[in-house]
Amino acid sequence: MRIARFSIDGNVAFGAVEGDPTGSGGPGSFDGLVLDIIKGVPFADFELSGTKVPLDKVRLLPPVLPNKVVAIGRNYAAHAAELGNEVPAAPWAFFKPSTSVIGPGDNIVYPSFSREVHHEAELAVVISRLCREVPRERVKDVILGYTCANDVTARDTQQTEKQWARAKGFDSSCPLGPWIETGIDLAGAADLAITATVNGELRQAGRTGQMINSIEDLIVNITEAMTLLPGDVILTGTPAGVGPLHPGDEVAVTIEGIGTLTNKVISRG
Ligand code: MG
């Protein structure tokens, strides 16, 4: 099931997306898709209401509002190498604040302090339940599903500031969406094509199977240290091919079996 979060007439709801997202409108198009509104929230047992609205009549929101986004740096060897970095000996986690999250179609706003903002296409894991010290064999039980993420990064700031809080935490630096795909298991998530395009030109192309630390590794490692809450998000690292974004660009992250997350880049008003 694909679960989207959206607003309509001032109300916010979750809905199950019906229809073929690769249909008539091409990649990233929502043509012909319909939302069956969910009664309640998708982090517990829920029912579909049977009330349906066309997806192009609503505003899609980020599919979750995470309490925290835990992101992993340098989890693909070719990406570490392209920036001249070593692969860390263990998962290298950092935070992106909840206020960095934007949804599909929202604008990435170029921060005032940077001259070099990069895209980083990433598979995002959405957590289903409160969990800590998750053993490897229970990892599958704490995942609601997967969505696309863009770990937008002020690369110049990342290189001049020891902590990455500003470089990777500025407002609008965490596009998520377009929806959560719940029908992929751990084995499936470990073998998905992931791409980033800028203005339709292919920039990043990798496979989640190239991750150094698997999704199981990451959730075991993170929950050794902290409790994850329903709706928390883990960004699993980016494949090679990161590069600059400029105001006016349109960046799209596509993950096989999930969908396409598209955002425009604008300068500060
Ligand atoms: Mg990243």
Side-chain angles (χ1 to χ4, degrees):
M1 180 182 289
R2 302 187 297 263
I3 298 174
R5 187 169 153 272
F6 64 97
S7 67
I8 183 169
D9 301 331
N11 298 308
V12 174
F14 290 93
V17 181
E18 299 179 351
D20 178 5
T22 61
S24 55
S29 165
F30 299 145
D31 286 2
L33 299 181
V34 171
L35 288 158
D36 189 337
I37 296 175
I38 286 172
K39 290 187 192 170
V41 297
F43 304 103
D45 291 339
F46 65 85
E47 290 178 17
L48 299 177
S49 69
T51 302
K52 299 189 182 184
V53 288
L55 202 144
D56 61 8
K57 294 282 187 287
V58 307
R59 180 179 171 213
L60 280 187
L61 301 172
V64 282
L65 278 186
N67 174 274
K68 57 188 170 297
V69 176
V70 186
I72 305 299
R74 301 176 193 169
N75 201 28
Y76 287 72
H79 166 63
E82 73 180 342
L83 295 180
N85 294 314
E86 302 280 320
V87 170
W92 193 339
F94 58 95
F95 291 114
K96 291 174 84 79
S98 58
T99 43
S100 67
V101 172
I102 60 172
D106 289 341
N107 292 324
I108 298 166
V109 183
Y110 225 93
S112 60
F113 52 83
S114 174
R115 293 287 170 275
E116 190 185 3
V117 169
H118 280 197
H119 54 84
E120 295 190 0
E122 310 206 2
L123 175 70
V125 182
V126 181
I127 297 298
S128 62
R129 54 193 286 181
L130 185 149
C131 58
R132 61 190 290 267
E133 296 182 355
V134 178
R136 179 168 297 270
E137 64 275 14
R138 298 293 306 278
V139 164
K140 64 182 186 320
D141 302 330
V142 306
I143 296 174
L144 176 64
Y146 301 91
T147 191
C148 307
N150 195 339
D151 175 20
V152 181
T153 300
R155 192 70 71 203
D156 47 357
T157 308
Q158 185 188 25
Q159 285 156 359
T160 55
E161 297 184 2
K162 194 160 187 176
Q163 297 279 334
W164 297 352
R166 295 204 322 152
K168 285 178 171 283
F170 61 87
D171 291 353
S172 76
S173 65
C174 191
L176 294 176
W179 42 65
I180 303 163
E181 173 60 66
T182 64
I184 297 175
D185 64 11
L186 272 169
D191 189 27
L192 299 174
I194 177 167
T195 63
T197 64
V198 178
N199 305 325
E201 179 184 309
L202 186 65
R203 294 276 190 88
Q204 293 184 266
R207 296 196 69 84
T208 55
Q210 297 165 331
M211 285 183 203
I212 296 163
N213 300 285
S214 69
I215 292 164
E216 291 100 315
D217 294 335
L218 297 179
I219 290 180
V220 169
N221 179 272
I222 292 164
T223 63
E224 275 178 355
M226 71 191 76
T227 300
L228 293 176
L229 300 175
D232 278 351
V233 168
I234 296 168
L235 304 192
T236 55
T238 197
V242 300
L245 294 169
H246 303 289
D249 285 346
E250 185 175 86
V251 57
V253 174
T254 299
I255 302 179
E256 180 184 9
I258 299 175
T260 297
L261 167 67
T262 305
N263 299 91
K264 274 216 162 73
V265 183
I266 63 168
S267 53
R268 291 176 80 248

